[in-house]
Amino acid sequence: MRRLAVIDLNTGDQPLHGDGNRVHIVYNGEVYNFRKLRAELQGLGYHFSTQSDTEVVLNAYLAWGREAWARLHGMFAIAIVDERGAKTKLLLVRDRPGIKPLYFFRQARTLLFASEIKALQADSSLSSDVDLTAVRSYLSLRYVPGPGSLLAGVEKLPAGHDLVWCDGDIEMRRWWHPPGPAALDSALDIRAAADRLGAALRTAVHRHMIADVPVGAFLSGGIDSNIIVALMAEVAASPVKTFSIGFPDFPDDDRELAALTAKRIGTDHHPIDCRAQDMASLPDIAIKLDEPVGDAIVVPMSVLAREARKEVTVVLSGEGADEILGGYMFHRKLQQIAMIKSFLPAQLFPVAARLASLVPVAVFEKLFDYPGALGNEGRRKVVSMLERMGDASLPELYRSAISLFDADDIRAMAENHWLAGTAGQKIGPPLTRQPGETVLQSLVSMQYPDWLPDDILMKADKMTMAHSLEGRVPFMDELVISAAASLPDATKIGMSGNKLALRRFASGLLPPEVLRAPKRAFYVPLEAYATTKPLADIFDWALDPVRVKKRGLFSPQWIAKQRAAGRAQGFLPLKRLFSIVMLELWFEHFAPSSSWT
């Protein structure tokens, strides 16, 4: 098995075997507490022939069975074949939040598994049939939510689950649950909250630096990556290598803020440029992702990983912080909407929607935390959401808030009745609220089933691993997840901003300009690049009316209308087109013959 060697470069090759060559393991990831577990297992009489964490995972399974996973602190996708019983069994295991991907395909008495869909497609028994329900979910969310995938029959092992396959039968079990409302410590004030979160994050960052190869960090202008770098510097033997990315033709202050932190901490800093010509890598990126992601940020992510790999083999980054600390605009807005719904009768929301349709777009845009223009189409989407808001549940409002295409959009764009028929279907796995949850707690918990494992963590893992770079995410350490879940809402979101406890903890570590900087979306200048080679050529290829007609999913007339949309329509038409382009790039490689004509 080929692996990216990070720990035990000499004797850590896989597969490894144990218990008289009757138990076998292959494993992708890192277990950061492997040395402590190794000592514990040696005390129980287990012997080791390597210095690798893989052998620790194997012996942990031999010692504790399926209860071993809860002892592993790290990120992992594990496969173990156990031949000790009357019947051989296969175990698949995925880490808590789903940092590492794991796909499988079952047919009769055969089960295929891999970290990439491309590997599964090497088997001729896997068809390229496409699940239209998954296509509809992708169009809304800009990623494919599990447990399925775009390829019919290919499944994702859900985050925090294990699976036992024996004689053609599957047993799946959830071995980890995100913290619920019982985790809340309502007695914490902002100082205590900052201390608790900071202590957990410091421990997580320090243990995420364990490696036998050079370790660096991605550094943006946001507080999340900045605090990670500051904590790395506390224990690093030499200046931390940091990497930031931006668009030199469209400068903003993100890289300037990163440079301030780099200077204050004394990192070996590497600013990296992403330019229009880098968009030429989109076809290759679509292959590397295995699943379409309708977010242009994958291009700068790929460039950043490519350049960082020239200096280091491991990078730490800030993914997951916004999810556990309520850092996105929709956390705040949906919290406010829930408060309004608590006293405003449901029948008044359609009235509010009609009034909102008369509000100038410029007023809407002042309330919208995004560097692009909301436009008339964005206002229409907000008005449509307002009309349904009175009767909508919080999970429905959450799905609506993060969706790019709503049901009306699907009906308008569909070329055939098959796609149009999916317009009213539920998107993604069911989302529910636990008794006693606050609105913010519910919104945080709703991100675990698919937003985190199928979008945020997936694209970070795929874009780093595509360049033989291991990405690590300390905010997804279970210590940090648990600490964040214990914090009262008021220490996360307040009148003065977001991620308040994290900012309080960082106050003595980071430049004040970084601490005061508001949360901003990373801006990719699609408006300019979509009319510039090479992205313009990719758009022309993917959205060619003949190609669109042959694929049979979308109306060529609708595509043409979106392409002709002027500035007054805002950024949504271009974002929708980019998502369709990424879908067509995926089709071209993974299911080229798919057609609904």
Side-chain angles (χ1 to χ4, degrees):
M1 170 184 159
R2 292 178 59 197
R3 71 179 184 119
L4 175 60
V6 172
I7 292 174
D8 190 5
L9 308 187
N10 298 318
T11 64
D13 291 343
Q14 300 180 28
L16 287 180
H17 315 280
D19 199 354
N21 206 38
R22 295 184 299 166
V23 183
H24 322 275
I25 184 172
V26 290
Y27 147 73
N28 175 30
E30 305 293 343
V31 171
Y32 304 121
N33 63 328
F34 79 98
R35 292 193 178 102
K36 181 179 178 181
L37 287 175
R38 179 189 176 99
E40 184 178 356
L41 288 162
Q42 286 174 325
L44 295 174
Y46 288 87
H47 300 284
F48 292 83
S49 58
T50 76
Q51 298 299 314
S52 70
D53 57 343
T54 308
E55 192 173 17
V56 171
V57 175
L58 176 59
N59 281 330
Y61 168 69
L62 295 176
W64 302 303
R66 292 167 75 182
E67 301 307 309
W69 325 141
R71 296 171 178 259
L72 307 180
H73 300 311
M75 56 180 185
F76 44 85
I78 302 168
I80 295 175
V81 174
D82 191 337
E83 299 181 285
R84 292 176 298 177
K87 294 182 178 180
T88 297
K89 60 184 178 182
L90 166 71
L91 294 92
L92 301 179
V93 193
R94 196 171 179 198
D95 64 61
R96 291 168 178 83
I99 301 168
K100 286 296 180 181
L102 185 50
Y103 302 94
F104 65 95
F105 171 72
R106 44 183 160 173
Q107 185 178 58
R109 297 169 65 84
T110 300
L111 186 138
L112 309 176
F113 64 90
S115 292
E116 296 184 342
I117 290 177
K118 293 184 289 295
L120 296 180
Q121 284 196 308
D123 190 287
S124 59
S125 65
L126 180 65
S127 77
S128 58
D129 292 344
V130 172
D131 182 351
L132 266 186
T133 300
V135 172
R136 191 265 181 268
S137 292
Y138 163 74
L139 291 171
S140 285
L141 300 177
R142 295 190 295 163
Y143 62 88
V144 183
S149 73
L150 281 189
L151 287 180
V154 174
E155 302 175 63
K156 305 169 191 173
L157 183 63
H161 282 65
D162 68 4
L163 175 156
V164 177
W165 169 267
C166 183
D167 202 24
D169 295 323
I170 277 185
E171 177 215 342
M172 195 179 297
R173 177 193 67 145
R174 186 169 193 167
W175 66 268
W176 180 76
H177 293 265
L184 176 65
D185 187 346
S186 58
L188 294 178
D189 60 14
I190 186 64
R191 181 188 297 272
D195 290 344
R196 177 175 296 183
L197 180 63
L201 186 58
R202 176 174 275 116
T203 299
V205 169
H206 291 177
R207 71 186 185 187
H208 275 65
M209 295 176 67
I210 294 172
D212 296 331
V213 293
V215 179
F218 290 159
L219 180 61
S220 71
I223 189 174
D224 312 326
S225 62
N226 278 257
I227 191 64
I228 286 174
V229 170
L231 295 175
M232 290 176 71
E234 293 178 344
V235 294
S238 59
V240 178
K241 290 183 180 292
T242 53
F243 308 88
S244 64
I245 193 159
F247 300 90
D249 300 325
F250 302 88
D252 59 21
D253 59 357
D254 190 80
R255 282 205 293 187
E256 293 178 8
L257 292 172
L260 283 174
T261 294
K263 183 177 181 180
R264 172 163 176 167
I265 295 173
T267 75
D268 179 6
H269 190 52
H270 302 257
I272 296 164
D273 290 339
C274 185
R275 299 182 182 274
Q277 56 264 35
D278 289 308
M279 292 291 167
S281 63
L282 267 180
D284 184 60
I285 287 173
I287 297 171
K288 294 295 195 298
L289 284 168
D290 279 310
E291 304 175 79
V293 172
D295 187 346
I297 198 173
V298 294
V299 176
M301 288 177 76
S302 178
V303 173
L304 186 61
R306 182 191 71 205
E307 296 304 309
R309 183 61 180 90
K310 296 174 181 178
E311 299 286 336
V312 297
T313 310
V314 174
V315 288
L316 275 58
S317 64
E319 275 83 5
D322 288 314
E323 284 73 17
I324 63 174
L325 295 172
Y328 291 116
M329 181 186 69
F330 71 77
H331 290 126
R332 179 184 295 274
K333 297 301 181 186
L334 291 180
Q335 210 179 24
Q336 294 168 347
I337 287 169
M339 182 184 66
I340 294 170
K341 286 187 65 174
S342 68
F343 63 81
L344 190 66
Q347 59 268 28
L348 291 183
F349 281 94
V351 177
R354 287 194 292 273
L355 293 174
S357 67
L358 303 176
V359 174
V361 169
V363 175
F364 268 99
E365 290 178 348
K366 289 181 179 179
L367 304 173
F368 192 73
D369 181 25
Y370 191 81
L374 187 62
N376 294 326
E377 183 61 17
R379 180 178 60 182
R380 183 200 65 79
K381 182 176 172 65
V382 172
V383 169
S384 176
M385 187 176 172
L386 261 177
E387 289 175 343
R388 301 188 299 269
M389 197 171 288
D391 298 321
S393 66
L394 186 63
E396 289 170 335
L397 289 173
Y398 164 71
R399 285 294 194 207
S400 180
I402 65 172
S403 290
L404 182 61
F405 293 86
D406 59 25
D408 292 337
D409 296 322
I410 298 295
R411 294 186 188 98
M413 72 189 296
E415 174 72 359
N416 61 61
H417 66 277
W418 293 290
L419 181 60
T422 68
Q425 293 181 1
K426 296 289 185 182
I427 302 167
L431 301 176
T432 58
R433 299 189 67 183
Q434 296 185 49
E437 279 185 333
T438 66
V439 170
L440 183 57
Q441 286 175 324
S442 293
L443 292 173
V444 168
S445 70
M446 288 176 198
Q447 297 163 121
Y448 283 102
D450 55 269
W451 170 284
L452 274 165
D454 299 326
D455 181 28
I456 302 299
L457 300 176
M458 184 275 277
K459 67 192 179 201
D461 180 78
K462 296 287 181 71
M463 288 297 89
T464 49
M465 292 299 288
H467 298 284
S468 298
L469 181 70
E470 181 173 275
R472 298 180 178 179
V473 282
F475 279 100
M476 290 285 92
D477 189 294
E478 66 273 18
L479 283 178
V480 182
I481 289 173
S482 296
S486 74
L487 306 188
D489 292 354
T491 67
K492 297 175 182 175
I493 298 179
M495 295 296 292
S496 60
N498 64 1
K499 294 184 278 194
L500 301 179
L502 185 65
R503 294 181 189 278
R504 175 68 175 259
F505 170 67
S507 60
L509 298 170
L510 299 178
E513 295 90 341
V514 174
L515 292 171
R516 291 195 301 264
K519 166 68 180 178
R520 292 167 300 180
F522 185 83
Y523 180 60
V524 180
L526 265 183
E527 294 90 343
Y529 287 171
T531 58
T532 305
K533 290 178 179 291
L535 185 57
D537 290 341
I538 295 173
F539 266 56
D540 289 342
W541 171 86
L543 302 175
D544 176 70
V546 175
R547 174 176 289 273
V548 172
K549 190 74 174 178
K550 184 178 179 181
R551 190 70 68 197
L553 281 177
F554 311 124
S555 161
Q557 292 76 26
W558 183 90
I559 296 285
K561 182 179 178 181
Q562 299 300 302
R563 297 199 75 178
R567 291 181 178 273
Q569 297 306 311
F571 65 81
L572 282 177
L574 185 55
K575 275 187 169 290
R576 289 168 178 159
L577 289 172
F578 183 85
S579 290
I580 293 171
V581 167
M582 292 300 287
L583 179 62
E584 181 57 33
L585 289 170
W586 180 89
F587 272 124
E588 181 68 11
H589 182 81
F590 290 91
S593 62
S594 294
S595 176
W596 289 267
T597 54

